[in-house]
Amino acid sequence: MNTMTVTVNGEPRELPVGSTVADLVALLGLKASQVAVERNREIVRRAEHASTLLVDGDRLEVVTFFGGG
């Protein structure tokens, strides 16, 4: 299987070629409804997570939101 390297929150991570933002969120064990994802300094809308393909060298920032008070 071919892999690519992306940077997630400053850390290199190997992913299968063809992975999407949604795949990454799932791999991280996060719920899509509780994260914001920035890819190469642009916010990826939640509705586009499943259709946004990642490519080798992408830089992603994943921010998690937790409810509470």
Side-chain angles (χ1 to χ4, degrees), residues 38-56:
E38 183 183 272
R39 175 180 172 237
N40 302 325
R41 298 188 176 193
E42 291 187 18
I43 296 291
V44 179
R45 292 181 21 215
R46 193 171 295 126
E48 297 172 349
H49 284 188
S51 63
T52 302
L53 285 174
L54 300 175
V55 297
D56 194 56

